[in-house]
Amino acid sequence: MPAIKKTPIAYFTEAPAVLEALQQLADKYDEPGSSHNYKKLVISDTLDGEGYQYVNLVQEGGGVLGIALVGYTYILEKAGIRFMRLAGTSAGAINTTLLAVVKEDKANKRTSSERILEYLCEKPFFDFVDGHPFAQRLIKWVVKTEHFAKRIKRCGLWLGIILTLLILLDITSFGLLFHDPMFEGVAITSFILTGIVLMALGFVGGYFGYLIQRLKNRGFGINPGKNFTDWIKMIMEKNGVNNIDDLEAVSEKIPAGLQLRPDVPIDKNLGDNPLKGLKPDITLITSDIITQNKIEFPRMWNLFRENKHEIHPAEFVRASMSIPIFFESHIIRDIPRHLPIIQTNWRNHLLLEPQDIPTAVRFVDGGILSNFPINVLYNPEVTIPRLPTLGIELDDSTPTDNTMNQADNLSLGAYIGKLFNTVRYYYDKDFLLKNSLFRKGIGVIKVSDYNWLDFNIPEEKQRELFVLGAQAAAKFLLEDFNWEEYKTARIIVHQQVNTSRKDMRGASELLTQSRK
């Protein structure tokens, strides 16, 4: 039985670079005579009764790189920022869920991020690799082997060369054997070696076929993901979340004393209630490859069951982080497609008619379709923003020479990788291209030196990721974000959109009149 991991959270939170980041924030935003209250920091017009400022937050997926997300939210919370609406995919969905479920411990002055860190410090990440022992060893080897693909390619090349030389030697020695019996030993040795190589290749091919069949039988995934599901379920239940109702209750609870800053402009669209629509919620993104749709949990739970108690919310997180091949896809079976209420839900959510509703769905990582789901937090009806929508991106791209003609110099692996990234970032890039001002609220954590699938990542590397997240958050608050500029830009864009819509309606009316 593996030893229980119990790293103190101070190993992360008291890292010199993290303390330095907090001190830099205090130097800029503390009032004279105060101690780390960051009163001068203005990042939102929405406050609660204790003076905490509220923002919406979207978090990107990225495997074990998600540790950096916790470092980022740790700094935000320490700076007096709390979260209204939350959205995330894969690793981002994990931290999104935990921020909603694991509430801060006010008695011991521990933020949600600190409490989340406690759970992470108690969990060896390699426990999540819960497949066959051979698969576990293979994954460790692949992740730790530098330039793995190149080494495999080189081994394959040498194997081909050796096999070709042996076959040539077989032919040559067999021909010479008729002229001189002394070549008999050479011929026998050559035939034996060739036979051994061919048998080895046959064994490898047969075992590979067995693994492919096993992979198919296990939902095209190496690891069942049960260990992760049990872990996230345990955390939920320790924090009072046993079903969807509980999840909605904690994630949609309106903060006590919610209010807007005095003397801020009020959106006329809100009528007499300036707090209209200000309600927390969470959205976890996953991809259903059977109906080929992006699914948002918990909002769409009623596509698959009639009653909430039939699905545990831990399944939502498990569905979102189902990394293809690495984890088995998450399947929900026995969908009661014959029920009128289920048919209505499918029609309302996904525009599918009863004959198109499947009996089972198969979820893979939400990052396949939307790895940075900032679009789900956009409310086009708000004229004057009351709080910003912030985002955390995990940039794991390797710096390249921009002068190189990449189009003509892609390897097969790079080609597949770019093809995959083109698909999975389409939703998000399309939204940001059309709503570029949201870029002002996105902080970027540079994590190109770390492997997102290294579930055997050592503690010192985990701390480095946490520190990178903390530093990125501090930089964002110190240098990159200005609430007044963001708010003004949102107002201008909304006015431009309204003007464009009016022009289009006017043009449409003129066209209609001309046809009459």
Side-chain angles (χ1 to χ4, degrees), residues 293 303 343-354 356:
N293 280 297
L303 293 173
Q343 296 173 2
T344 299
N345 294 337
W346 278 88
R347 188 180 294 113
N348 291 341
H349 284 308
L350 300 175
L351 303 179
L352 285 185
E353 295 302 320
D356 299 320

Side-chain angles (χ1 to χ4, degrees), residues 65-248:
L65 304 180
I67 302 167
L69 298 175
V70 183
Y72 199 106
T73 57
Y74 169 75
I75 293 294
L76 294 185
E77 289 195 288
K78 280 296 186 181
I81 297 168
R82 298 296 183 264
F83 311 111
M84 186 65 66
R85 303 187 65 203
L86 290 158
T89 299
S90 196
I94 296 171
N95 201 37
T96 288
T97 302
L98 295 178
L99 283 170
V101 170
V102 182
K103 299 302 182 182
E104 62 183 301
D105 180 0
K106 294 182 179 179
N108 295 304
K109 296 182 179 180
R110 294 226 160 161
T111 63
S112 292
S113 294
E114 288 173 284
R115 292 196 58 217
I116 291 168
L117 195 56
E118 288 179 334
Y119 286 114
L120 295 178
C121 286
E122 294 172 355
K123 184 64 177 177
F125 293 152
F126 203 74
D127 285 357
F128 297 147
V129 184
D130 54 356
H132 191 277
F134 172 77
Q136 293 178 343
R137 289 193 293 271
L138 179 64
I139 288 170
K140 278 186 179 180
W141 177 55
V142 170
V143 169
K144 293 299 183 184
T145 301
E146 190 174 358
H147 305 303
F148 176 77
K150 290 182 179 179
R151 292 194 179 193
I152 291 296
K153 183 178 179 180
R154 192 181 301 120
C155 288
L157 178 63
W158 276 108
L159 185 60
I161 292 172
I162 291 170
L163 185 59
T164 300
L165 291 175
L166 284 173
I167 292 174
L168 289 174
L169 182 59
D170 289 342
I171 295 171
T172 304
S173 60
F174 184 74
L176 293 175
L177 183 61
F178 291 101
H179 297 282
D180 193 337
M182 68 175 290
F183 285 100
E184 180 179 359
V186 176
I188 292 173
T189 302
S190 178
F191 289 149
I192 291 173
L193 290 175
T194 303
I196 291 173
V197 172
L198 290 174
M199 287 177 63
L201 288 174
F203 174 78
V204 170
Y207 190 67
F208 182 75
Y210 160 75
L211 290 178
I212 293 296
Q213 185 60 41
R214 178 186 172 91
L215 200 64
K216 179 181 178 181
N217 295 338
R218 297 176 66 87
F220 292 103
I222 297 172
N223 301 292
K226 185 179 183 303
N227 187 282
F228 172 83
T229 306
D230 291 342
W231 179 70
I232 203 77
K233 186 176 181 180
M234 176 271 296
I235 295 175
M236 284 184 167
E237 294 181 351
K238 275 191 173 183
N239 289 274
V241 175
N242 299 286
N243 50 53
I244 297 174
D245 282 328
D246 292 338
L247 177 63
E248 291 176 342

